[in-house]
Amino acid sequence: MRGFFRLGALVALIVVLALPARAAVEIQDVTSQKGVTAWLVEDHSLPIITFQFSFKGGAVQDPEGKEGTANLMSGLFDEGAGDLTFDVFQERLEELGAEMSFRANSDTISGQIRMLAENSDAVLDLLRLAVTSPRFDADPVERIRAQIAVQIRSDERDPNKQGYRAMEQAVYGDHPYARPDEGTLESLAGITPDDLRAFHARVFARSNLTIGVVGAIDAGTLGTVLDKVFGDLPEEAQLTPVEHIEPKLDQEVRIDYPLPQSTLQLVYPGIERDDPDFFAAYLMNQILGGGTFSSRLFHEVREKRGLAYGATSYLSSRDYAQTLMIHTATRAEQVDTALSVIEDVVAGMRDDGPTPKDLDEAKTYVIGAYPINNLDSSTAIARTLVGLQQDDLGIDYIQRRAELINAVTLDDVKRVGQRLLSAPPALLVIGPAGGNGG
């Protein structure tokens, strides 16, 4: 959403040069007097502090008929807070050279703030107001509502967006995951400032808060800061219970639309993040379609037959459902061929598993890519700290990760391949009516 102000270009360049990908980081576990916890990577090489934080309870907490509440609210935290109206709040952020942003997804509402250490007291006071006392004034609410409505109308004309939405409704039924995070035009129009205040009071609390901090701040100072910024939030969130759901597979969803290409998506069962076979599944997916240019799907669909520009697979681990998805796009007259090739690749992984060479190469890649993808900047590190806490992986996970991956055997991968790829998948086809694949 809005409200993202950049630090100076020179400082940004220094950050990039000073924060190469790190193979390991030293993480401190900090707890304030009021019991607010955060993981900290202290780094005084630059005078910058980055906060990343997340509240469990995103769009799945939207009240029925008020879908889009979490998303709308996430666009309003920098639109005035406490006794500061929108223009004053924004001016102060800009004067202090701070970056503040919020976003919502189905499971969480998260925020980030980056600041110069010398301005941290003033910037963190703005963050305190944004988190604890957002105003939700009528004019900003209407402005952000209008922006979201424009996007909803655009999505309504996008066949791929409508196809993915129809697929989620088919796979998740009446579960909150079947609802669009941004809501509908009707539900969005019905959300009032009082609805936003009620949602905020219910969801923003210390019990469902996770924080990662990176930069020029020590543990003692951070403990004081945590209470200053977050200590006045309610102790316990009042979240509506959400049930775990098994996706409804073995069905087809077809969206007829005169596109140059047809889109294919297959949905298989996934795996919980804390499952003992998670890394076996992760490596299996890397070999199947997660390695963009080295995977079996890419080789068979793109390189060998030229059916598509690419074919990928990925594991989706949400709070209340897990899936493995395969995606590609091809010409309408080639849908059946592409689908047959994908099914053959899946069957090969399910029945035979990977070769020793496949597994060794996958291990090397996923171990080496982790610091590049997760530890290459202060923002990435702070985000990683939040994710590690949310997944309850332990403060020493980064040091243990390579060992966990290297411990996976061929038999482990074969077992998890049979487990995840044996069920008939849900299939989405978006493309011209009368094309193959029906």
Side-chain angles (χ1 to χ4, degrees):
M1 298 299 297
R2 316 181 52 262
F4 192 76
F5 292 90
R6 297 188 178 278
L7 301 175
L10 179 60
V11 172
L13 177 61
I14 293 172
V15 170
V16 172
L17 296 176
L19 287 170
R22 308 180 187 189
V25 293
E26 181 181 346
I27 304 172
Q28 302 176 63
D29 191 346
V30 179
T31 302
S32 74
Q33 289 187 352
K34 291 186 177 181
V36 182
T37 62
W39 283 7
L40 166 67
V41 173
E42 187 175 347
D43 183 355
H44 295 272
S45 61
L46 290 172
I48 295 174
I49 304 170
T50 300
F51 272 66
Q52 186 86 22
F53 52 92
S54 178
F55 292 91
K56 188 179 184 67
V60 294
Q61 293 295 316
D62 287 347
E64 188 172 354
K66 303 281 186 176
E67 292 82 7
T69 300
N71 184 62
L72 175 58
M73 186 178 72
S74 71
L76 290 162
F77 289 104
D78 62 343
E79 296 278 345
D83 59 355
L84 305 181
T85 58
F86 158 72
D87 51 349
V88 176
F89 192 96
Q90 291 286 336
E91 285 173 6
R92 291 196 183 178
L93 267 181
E94 196 163 11
E95 289 168 358
L96 294 165
E99 302 173 350
M100 181 186 293
S101 62
F102 291 82
R103 67 184 183 89
N105 62 27
S106 58
D107 293 325
T108 63
I109 299 173
S110 58
Q112 176 184 293
I113 191 160
R114 298 179 69 227
M115 71 209 87
L116 295 169
E118 65 184 30
N119 295 335
S120 61
D121 286 347
V123 174
L124 289 168
D125 194 53
L126 292 177
L127 178 60
R128 175 186 64 81
L129 291 174
V131 170
T132 62
S133 306
R135 291 174 65 96
F136 302 133
D137 290 334
D139 287 347
V141 168
E142 293 310 313
R143 180 160 29 85
I144 301 303
R145 191 199 312 270
Q147 293 174 9
I148 297 171
V150 169
Q151 184 60 54
I152 292 174
R153 292 189 181 96
S154 175
D155 289 348
E156 288 178 344
R157 297 188 296 271
D158 186 328
N160 283 309
K161 293 285 182 65
Q162 293 306 302
Y164 296 140
R165 182 163 299 167
M167 185 66 152
E168 289 200 326
Q169 290 171 345
V171 169
Y172 295 121
D174 58 1
H175 191 273
Y177 282 161
R179 309 181 310 194
D181 290 354
E182 67 275 16
T184 65
L185 290 174
E186 293 74 20
S187 68
L188 180 65
I191 300 169
T192 68
D194 283 343
D195 292 326
L196 297 171
R197 295 184 187 101
F199 189 99
H200 174 266
R202 194 165 55 82
V203 174
F204 272 47
R206 286 175 277 160
S207 64
N208 61 329
L209 170 63
T210 307
I211 306 168
V213 182
V214 178
I217 185 170
D218 59 60
T221 303
L222 178 58
T224 301
V225 164
L226 293 175
D227 279 345
K228 173 185 176 182
V229 176
F230 303 104
D232 289 339
L233 289 171
E235 184 175 353
E236 293 290 334
Q238 304 299 317
L239 300 182
T240 301
V242 178
E243 296 295 326
H244 193 281
I245 183 170
E246 294 295 332
K248 300 175 183 177
L249 307 179
D250 196 14
Q251 60 174 315
E252 180 177 327
V253 175
R254 182 162 193 114
I255 304 297
D256 293 328
Y257 202 87
L259 292 166
Q261 285 194 318
S262 291
T263 295
L264 298 178
Q265 185 182 75
L266 293 85
V267 181
Y268 290 86
I271 191 166
E272 297 269 8
R273 185 60 186 83
D274 60 357
D275 191 293
D277 275 336
F278 175 81
F279 272 119
Y282 191 85
L283 290 165
M284 183 273 289
N285 177 72
Q286 176 69 20
I287 298 163
L288 177 66
T292 305
F293 301 110
S294 61
S295 72
R296 291 185 179 183
L297 284 171
F298 185 87
H299 175 74
E300 294 293 333
V301 175
R302 164 67 191 274
E303 289 191 338
K304 191 172 179 179
R305 295 174 177 84
L307 294 170
Y309 287 111
T312 60
S313 66
Y314 60 95
L315 290 168
S316 173
S317 295
R318 302 166 82 174
D319 282 357
Y320 306 104
Q322 291 71 44
T323 56
L324 185 154
M325 299 196 185
I326 294 175
H327 180 272
T328 193
T330 189
R331 295 200 305 271
E333 66 271 17
Q334 296 179 327
V335 166
D336 276 349
T337 302
L339 184 58
S340 178
V341 172
I342 291 170
E343 290 172 341
D344 287 345
V345 172
V346 169
M349 181 63 73
R350 179 192 65 222
D351 298 338
D352 302 322
T355 66
K357 182 174 181 289
D358 289 335
L359 184 55
D360 287 343
E361 290 178 351
K363 288 180 178 181
T364 298
Y365 177 82
V366 300
I367 290 172
Y370 186 81
I372 296 171
N373 295 332
N374 296 276
L375 307 174
D376 67 335
S377 69
S378 60
T379 298
I381 295 170
R383 188 182 305 117
T384 298
L385 296 180
V386 170
L388 295 180
Q389 293 174 82
Q390 288 176 330
D391 291 336
D392 196 24
L393 295 177
I395 202 166
D396 61 343
Y397 171 79
I398 294 174
Q399 285 70 42
R400 293 185 295 109
R401 183 176 182 273
E403 180 182 348
L404 294 170
I405 292 169
N406 282 324
V408 175
T409 67
L410 276 172
D411 286 342
D412 294 333
V413 179
K414 290 178 181 178
R415 180 181 65 253
V416 82
Q418 292 170 353
R419 171 182 166 187
L420 300 185
L421 301 176
S422 293
L427 171 65
L428 168 68
V429 182
I430 307 170
N436 293 339

